[in-house]
């Protein structure tokens, strides 16, 4: 307790105020021993009392040096809500935002992956730029819509750094039933200029163009707890459906309708259980590999049976 | 698209679905999604079921309206598909009985004259699947039902609401899960 009292006294001395050690000890002793308040809470309470007494702002007392800078961590390791961390990375994307309380929102990434960040309008930070690297100090992780992001606050700081950070991607797994395949899947045409998919034969940027055929699947996976969107490129689509791009083009030509390909793919895939693996990008998993789950896990049956019978 | 998110497809056994009768909306907005709360506390706006289509019948008068009966180890789901579910209705037409089918759909309820609530499924998609997928689902539904039962006495909003409304007999639903799991063992 004496140590705590001394640390409080020292901190006040730094702010130019002499608080008698006996006063601090007396108050601490009363709270901690007589009223059985935990020492952390007692310390907080005593500090608050003297702050008020001497009319000092709390933010002057609790400067970041008091707690030290939050450790720099890999973004892939930010998995818990409400942690103070620092992130060193490159701005991968900035998103449009139409919310007036948000000044900037986007993705920051380091070697381990990317994470969404939010910079609020209430804080006065310089704007960040895409493809530049920054150190975000003292940001707080929070869970929003089932995903972890980091949020800047008044104790944070942004520092531009002269390093080039390679943004890595973290690979994730998801197992569940494929409950739907979205429109824009199956046999599609892409713009030869920008590779974007065409709607009604037109590209949003380049207008009416002669499209290039491609196969892809935008799948919705669902494990009963959360849903996950997954993107399957041509190679993966051909592998999992057994339909090649040439087959698909021939089928569509026969039927005079591209939609037959999507119907066939839906019949083959929807409602089956799959495990998909790949890097996560925004709300999608870019699927590197997909495996159908068709073997019932008998160990799980047994353990569930045991659990049912215990009670 | 602010605030939009896709509703998760819950896994519920037929028996629990039949014993559900509480529907509600989150909020007063006319477009707020409708939910069915089940006795084990599943908040269902979309469901995924796999079972055996045992019967199908066109019960429509003017236009086609198909009713199917899909059986799982604990009971049967009633499935209704008409002109507003063209893909699902077509799938029902083409499907032979019996067959294993997988259905993604929305729960729907009907209150009879004497106040009973009947539950049925309005399918978004119906696929013919194999027996392995069916077994995978039974295990999946068993696992998720157990998970819900384990949370039933906790302070989650759905659990509290379910306990308040149904005062469910946990043993009854454990028995249902057990029955489903044992049926999986029999055919192995």
């Amino acid at each position: 307790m004496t140590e705590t009292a001394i640390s409080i006294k020292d901190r006040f001395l730094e702010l130019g105020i002499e608080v008698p050690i006996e006063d601090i000890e007396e108050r601490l002793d009363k709270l901690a021993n007589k009223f059985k308040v935990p020492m952390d809470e007692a310390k907080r309470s005593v500090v608050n009392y003297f702050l008020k007494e001497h009319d000092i702002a709390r933010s002057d007392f609790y400067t970041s040096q008091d707690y030290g800078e939050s450790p720099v961590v890999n973004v892939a390791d930010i998995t818990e809500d409400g942690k103070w961390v620092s992130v060193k990375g490159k701005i991968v994307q900035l998103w449009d935002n139409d919310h007036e309380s948000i000044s900037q929102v986007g993705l920051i990434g380091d070697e381990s992956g990317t994470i969404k960040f939010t910079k609020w309008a209430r804080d006065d930070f310089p704007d960040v730029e895409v493809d530049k690297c920054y150190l975000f100090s003292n940001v707080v992780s929070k869970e929003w819509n089932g995903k972890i992001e980091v949020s800047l606050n008044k104790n944070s700081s942004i520092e531009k750094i002269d390093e080039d950070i390679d943004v890595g991607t973290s690979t994730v797994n998801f197992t569940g039933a494929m409950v739907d395949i979205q429109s824009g899947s199956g046999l599609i045409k892409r713009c030869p200029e920008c590779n974007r998919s065409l709607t009604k034969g037109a590209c949003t940027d380049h207008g009416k163009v002669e499209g290039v055929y491609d196969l892809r699947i935008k799948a919705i996976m669902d494990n009963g707890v959360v849903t996950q969107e997954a993107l399957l490129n041509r190679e993966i689509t051909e592998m999992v459906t057994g339909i090649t791009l040439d087959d698909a083009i021939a089928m569509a030509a026969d039927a005079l309708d591209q939609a037959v390909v999507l119907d066939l793919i839906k019949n083959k895939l929807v409602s089956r259980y799959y495990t998909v693996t790949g890097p996560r990008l925004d709300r999608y998993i870019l699927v590197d590999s997909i495996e159908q789950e068709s073997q019932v896990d008998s160990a799980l049956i047994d353990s569930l049976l045991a659990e049912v019978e215990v009670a | 698209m602010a605030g939009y998110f896709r509703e998760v497809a819950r896994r519920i056994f037929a028996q629990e679905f039949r014993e559900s009768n509480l529907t509600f909306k989150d909020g007063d907005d006319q477009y707020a999604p409708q939910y069915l709360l089940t006795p084990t506390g599943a908040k269902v706006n979309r469901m995924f079921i796999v079972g055996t289509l045992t019967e199908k019948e066109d019960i429509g008068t003017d236009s086609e309206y198909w009713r199917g009966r899909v059986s799982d180890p604990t009971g049967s789901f009633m499935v209704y598909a008409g002109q507003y579910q063209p893909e699902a209705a077509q799938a029902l037409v083409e499907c032979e009985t019996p067959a294993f089918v997988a259905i993604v759909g929305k729960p729907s309820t009907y209150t009879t004259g004497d106040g009973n609530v009947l539950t049925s499924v309005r399918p978004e998609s119906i696929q013919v699947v194999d027996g392995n997928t069916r077994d995978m689902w039974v295990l999946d539904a068993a696992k998720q039902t157990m998970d819900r039962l384990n949370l039933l006495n906790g302070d989650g909003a759905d659990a509290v609401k379910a306990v308040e409304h149904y005062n469910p007999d946990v043993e009854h639903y454990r028995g249902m899960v057990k029955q489903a799991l044992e049926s999986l063992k029999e055919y192995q």
Side-chain angles (χ1 to χ4, degrees), chain A residues 35-264:
Chain A
F35 288 94
K36 306 198 189 315
V37 176
M39 188 45 87
D40 283 355
E41 184 58 27
K43 179 183 178 190
R44 204 190 67 92
S45 172
V46 170
V47 166
N48 273 355
Y49 172 82
F50 287 111
L51 286 176
K52 251 194 198 139
E53 193 83 330
H54 298 282
D55 206 15
I56 302 170
R58 293 187 55 167
S59 51
D60 289 340
F61 187 87
Y62 293 109
T63 51
S64 54
Q65 58 173 348
D66 198 29
Y67 283 118
E69 293 283 311
S70 306
V72 174
V73 299
N74 287 336
V75 303
D77 295 334
I78 306 174
T79 51
E80 267 179 276
D81 188 77
K83 286 267 180 272
W84 286 81
V85 293
S86 298
V87 174
K88 194 160 98 174
K90 185 193 267 181
I91 306 298
V92 182
Q93 278 181 0
L94 284 173
W95 298 331
D96 292 340
N97 102 79
D98 43 16
H99 214 289
E100 58 187 29
S101 59
I102 293 174
S103 84
Q104 282 186 308
V105 57
L107 287 178
I108 183 167
D110 63 15
E111 292 83 357
S112 69
T114 58
I115 192 165
K116 178 181 166 189
F117 73 90
T118 309
K119 181 157 80 71
W120 301 94
R122 59 158 198 248
D123 302 318
D124 199 15
F125 292 119
D127 277 353
V128 293
E129 289 172 58
V130 172
D131 277 342
K132 299 274 164 59
C133 296
Y134 298 88
L135 173 65
F136 286 9
S137 301
N138 304 323
V139 296
V140 178
S141 65
K142 67 176 183 177
E143 197 176 337
W144 172 251
N145 276 345
K147 284 172 195 153
I148 290 283
E149 58 178 72
V150 293
S151 176
L152 287 104
N153 57 64
K154 68 173 193 280
N155 293 316
S156 308
S157 63
I158 295 181
E159 189 189 329
K160 193 166 173 197
I161 46 179
D162 273 335
E163 277 177 59
D164 194 38
I165 293 170
D166 278 331
V167 176
T169 42
S170 52
T171 301
V172 291
N173 281 319
F174 189 92
T175 302
M178 194 182 288
V179 291
D180 202 4
I181 292 179
Q182 293 178 300
S183 58
S185 300
L187 186 61
I188 58 162
K189 279 190 166 180
R190 289 186 184 280
C191 173
E193 303 258 350
C194 62
N195 214 26
R196 234 175 296 193
S197 66
L198 305 180
T199 38
K200 293 184 176 166
C203 170
T204 40
D205 273 3
H206 303 96
K208 207 109 185 135
V209 286
E210 192 56 48
V212 184
Y213 278 116
D214 195 12
L215 261 185
R216 70 153 174 205
I217 296 175
K218 291 159 80 177
I220 297 173
M221 309 285 297
D222 184 320
N223 63 10
V225 182
V226 289
T227 63
Q228 171 65 53
E229 290 171 61
L231 276 180
L232 283 66
N233 63 15
R234 173 179 159 190
E235 187 193 345
I236 302 289
T237 304
E238 289 182 333
M239 203 257 320
V240 71
T241 59
I243 306 169
T244 65
L245 179 59
D246 291 338
D247 294 342
I249 294 171
M251 273 164 27
D254 260 4
L256 299 173
D257 186 1
Q258 286 184 24
V260 291
V261 179
L262 179 54
D263 286 346
L264 185 66

Side-chain angles (χ1 to χ4, degrees), chain A residues 176-177 179-180 220 222-227 266-268 270-273 292-298 300-302 304-305 307-311, chain B residues 6-11 48 87 102 104 125 127-129 132-133 135-137 139-140 142-144 146 150 171 174 177-178 181-182 184-185 188:
Chain A
V179 291
D180 202 4
I220 297 173
D222 184 320
N223 63 10
V225 182
V226 289
T227 63
K266 277 187 176 173
N267 276 328
K268 282 177 181 274
V270 169
S271 294
R272 278 68 167 185
Y273 285 87
Q292 184 168 2
E293 300 287 333
S294 55
Q295 214 48 55
V296 170
D297 178 355
S298 41
L300 182 57
I301 301 181
D302 291 337
L304 281 174
L305 266 177
E307 197 186 334
V308 165
E309 278 159 5
V310 160
Chain B
R6 186 183 165 95
E7 293 283 348
V8 176
R10 306 293 172 188
R11 280 51 153 172
F48 176 55
E87 284 181 37
V104 179
S125 82
Q127 308 290 342
V128 175
V129 296
N132 282 337
T133 303
D135 289 351
M136 297 272 306
W137 179 82
L139 182 56
D140 191 9
K143 169 92 173 64
Q144 307 224 2
M146 279 304 286
N150 290 335
E171 283 316 305
R174 279 178 177 272
V177 172
K178 188 176 169 203
L181 289 168
E182 280 171 349
L184 283 181
K185 296 285 274 188
Q188 285 214 323

Side-chain angles (χ1 to χ4, degrees), chain B residues 44-128:
Chain B
V44 189
N45 172 270
R46 177 177 278 126
M47 51 201 287
F48 176 55
I49 57 178
V50 185
T52 313
L53 180 71
T54 53
E55 292 164 24
K56 61 167 189 177
E57 189 184 357
D58 180 8
I59 55 166
T61 41
D62 298 335
S63 60
E64 287 196 351
Y65 194 59
W66 285 86
R67 179 174 67 191
R69 197 180 167 89
V70 176
S71 145
D72 79 3
T74 71
S76 301
F77 296 95
M78 300 308 290
V79 178
Y80 292 89
Q83 56 174 321
Y84 301 111
Q85 298 82 36
E87 284 181 37
Q90 191 57 31
L92 263 187
V93 171
E94 288 166 9
C95 190
E96 291 176 12
T97 56
F100 289 123
V101 292
I103 295 175
V104 179
K106 303 264 182 180
S108 138
T109 57
Y110 174 75
T111 308
T112 59
D114 47 8
N116 285 327
V117 175
L118 304 179
T119 55
S120 60
V121 183
R122 203 172 64 239
E124 294 172 324
S125 82
I126 301 181
Q127 308 290 342
V128 175

